[in-house]
Amino acid sequence: MTQAQASAANSQLHKLLVQVAGEQTAADLFTMIKVEDVLLVEQAGATVSRLTLAQAMNMLLFAKNLEAVPEGKRYVADKLAAGGQVVFDHGALRTVAAANTGALPQGELAFKRFLEPLGFAVADVYPLPRLKMTGRAYCHQDAPEQVAQFFVSELHVDQFSPAFQAAVNNVVSTSRDPLSAADKALLATLSDNRELPFADAASLLPKLVGCFDVQHATPALADYHTLLQESAEMAWISTEGNAFNHATDHVADVFATADELRAKGQPIKDKVEVSASGRVRQTAFKAAQVEREFIDADGQCVSRIVPGSFYEFITRDRYTDEAGNDKLDLRFDSSNAQGIFKMTAAAC
């Protein structure tokens, strides 16, 4: 066992993942995802910090995305076989700011309520006018360069037609809240103390992962088509809910990665998106095509093939800030984001 492997095995993060997901899954996660030393606090105390809990959630969410995206799973398997690891940069999800979202808080509030207790804070806001959405980057305050960010986008239903708004209401008004009163009490404790007793952290972790899922009832096919006419993003939400729209691997040279995958015949985006600063460059696999159920006009369950989630690649440069500090450019770019979102626009 190497020193790095020993540090991981003796960490509170490893202990928590073993408790929740089992020995083999924990081992696989540490093999797959690069985990920085700052996240490997030893199993000294009986509590779990918000930083450790946030990292455990992120690792489980990354693995969940791979199960939804076969191309991403194959890419990661090839990377591991070549002796590499994934540097998990960020995960993206979509929310709906509608008048009635059932038992689920509206829009980004469904995630802000637990991302903030976990130590994340909004680093910047990104208008996405072409999509009638707003994106918010949640960055971890304790280890911003070591913990994957969340790009939480919110669709503004009031900017669409009455027919569209009615279809949204039909879909999301049935939403349940995946967090119980006991879960919310634990989050309040975490917010106050920045840590939880180990048993409470282990109880809360799978509930947090469960927030990244579909919370509403099976949509009507007619509503799906109505949504698709005005917003591919909302149509996607109607079938995929709050699942990771994509997970992102930080690579050394996204252009080289894209060229290599394209040469292998992989379904990679034609264009690399480059930020206005030039320091952030992104591309992605095209969305997985998935079979989803709908309710037809006769009340019967029917299946259709629609776009699912995808896997993204990003390169971020370092820069010197105004105070002379060397930093990784953790920002996003509205134009980049809107370009990347097109990965799920082609419905079948």
Side-chain angles (χ1 to χ4, degrees):
M1 180 181 292
T2 66
Q3 184 175 353
Q5 290 172 326
S7 295
N10 292 326
S11 68
Q12 196 77 323
L13 176 61
H14 182 267
K15 180 182 177 183
L16 181 61
L17 287 169
V18 168
Q19 178 68 27
V20 171
E23 288 275 3
Q24 187 59 56
T25 297
D28 291 344
L29 288 171
F30 274 95
T31 299
M32 178 170 57
I33 301 170
K34 182 174 176 58
V35 180
E36 301 290 350
D37 289 345
V38 69
L39 305 173
L40 299 177
V41 177
E42 291 191 6
Q43 303 175 21
T47 60
V48 175
S49 71
R50 67 181 190 178
L51 178 60
T52 296
L53 185 55
Q55 178 65 14
M57 179 185 73
N58 282 7
M59 293 171 77
L60 290 170
L61 287 171
F62 183 87
K64 187 176 180 181
N65 178 259
L66 289 190
E67 293 305 314
V69 184
E71 294 84 1
K73 189 173 185 178
R74 181 169 58 247
Y75 163 82
V76 171
D78 290 345
K79 190 168 190 175
L80 296 181
Q85 281 187 301
V86 169
V87 178
F88 184 19
D89 183 89
H90 71 273
L93 60 138
R94 298 172 176 177
T95 68
V96 185
N100 182 2
T101 52
L104 193 67
Q106 295 181 9
E108 65 146 346
L109 296 179
F111 291 86
K112 179 179 182 178
R113 60 181 176 159
F114 66 83
L115 289 177
E116 287 188 341
L118 285 168
F120 293 92
V122 174
D124 215 337
V125 178
Y126 299 90
L128 307 171
R130 295 202 303 271
L131 307 178
K132 299 179 182 177
M133 302 177 83
T134 298
R136 293 176 176 85
Y138 279 82
C139 186
H140 205 281
Q141 299 174 83
D142 301 338
E145 292 191 11
Q146 291 79 29
V147 176
Q149 299 183 75
F150 288 89
F151 191 87
V152 182
S153 57
E154 186 177 61
L155 184 125
H156 304 296
V157 177
D158 59 356
Q159 296 180 22
F160 292 87
S161 72
F164 181 93
Q165 294 181 41
V168 170
N169 183 73
N170 291 341
V171 173
V172 301
S173 64
T174 64
S175 298
R176 59 180 283 275
D177 189 346
L179 296 178
S180 68
D183 300 327
K184 295 169 188 174
L186 290 179
L187 286 168
T189 300
L190 180 63
S191 181
D192 290 340
N193 301 337
R194 298 192 175 192
E195 62 182 16
L196 284 175
F198 184 88
D200 288 340
S203 171
L204 183 60
L205 178 55
K207 301 299 290 292
L208 296 176
V209 173
C211 290
F212 296 80
D213 210 337
V214 179
Q215 311 301 346
H216 54 258
T218 302
L221 186 59
D223 287 331
Y224 178 81
H225 286 307
T226 297
L227 298 174
L228 190 59
Q229 289 177 6
E230 296 187 44
S231 171
E233 289 69 38
M234 184 61 223
W236 188 92
I237 293 169
S238 74
T239 64
E240 310 307 302
N242 302 125
F244 260 12
N245 173 253
H246 62 267
T248 306
D249 189 359
H250 184 155
V251 297
D253 183 343
V254 75
F255 283 99
T257 297
D259 288 345
E260 180 182 346
L261 292 170
R262 194 173 294 113
K264 292 179 178 178
Q266 297 297 309
I268 195 77
K269 189 176 183 294
D270 295 332
K271 177 185 175 184
V272 172
E273 304 291 338
V274 180
S275 68
S277 71
R279 291 194 295 263
V280 180
R281 301 172 292 282
Q282 298 165 259
T283 194
F285 282 129
K286 296 173 183 178
Q289 297 299 300
V290 296
E291 185 175 1
R292 294 291 182 257
E293 293 185 344
F294 299 88
I295 304 300
D296 69 10
D298 298 321
Q300 301 299 308
C301 187
V302 295
S303 296
R304 295 289 186 274
I305 303 298
V306 299
S309 300
F310 61 95
Y311 190 89
E312 183 186 346
F313 307 91
I314 194 167
T315 297
R316 296 183 182 275
D317 293 341
R318 302 195 73 85
Y319 72 104
T320 303
D321 68 11
E322 294 178 357
N325 299 310
D326 176 66
K327 288 186 174 181
L328 183 67
D329 192 338
L330 295 173
R331 287 171 288 192
F332 293 88
D333 182 277
S334 291
S335 179
N336 278 18
Q338 290 173 118
I340 290 292
F341 271 36
K342 291 179 182 177
M343 291 294 91
T344 58
C348 298

